[in-house]
Amino acid sequence: MAGPNLELVKFGIYVFFPVAIMLHYGNPEWYQEHIIPYRERFWPTDPKTTNTNVPHTSTELSNEIAALKLRKMQERQAAANGSAPAPSG
């Protein structure tokens, strides 16, 4: 058997290695330098698919939910009448 010294070394490696990896890769400067450019190259931000009109207050959220419910109800009525739904804008 190896003894307690080997167990202490193994324990130190098991604890140190994940902490060192998290410190290295979790550094915000490293992330900005190495990850963000590749992310922008693979998945560019498209203004047609990016929604910046997100409701922030409870009243804006309530208004948005009411508009969604109204649009859904209009689509259901149009489907029940057999006509094409009105284009949403």
Side-chain angles (χ1 to χ4, degrees):
M1 294 294 166
N5 286 338
L6 179 63
E7 293 299 320
L8 286 174
V9 170
K10 284 173 34 180
F11 177 75
I13 291 172
Y14 293 158
V15 170
F16 175 75
F17 186 72
V19 170
I21 295 297
M22 285 189 290
L23 286 174
H24 177 70
Y25 291 110
N27 188 3
E29 290 85 23
W30 184 90
Y31 188 82
Q32 289 290 330
E33 182 180 336
H34 292 93
I35 302 298
I36 298 297
Y38 289 107
R39 184 182 73 181
E40 291 299 323
R41 222 174 359 166
F42 286 124
W43 299 287
T45 55
D46 186 11
K48 291 186 286 186
T49 60
T50 306
N51 186 5
T52 57
N53 300 329
V54 178
H56 295 288
T57 64
S58 62
T59 55
E60 291 174 353
L61 185 61
S62 299
N63 293 340
E64 186 68 25
I65 290 173
L68 289 173
K69 285 182 180 179
L70 179 64
R71 189 178 318 143
K72 188 70 170 179
M73 185 177 62
Q74 289 172 349
E75 289 175 1
R76 285 184 183 157
Q77 287 176 350
N81 293 338
S83 62
S88 61

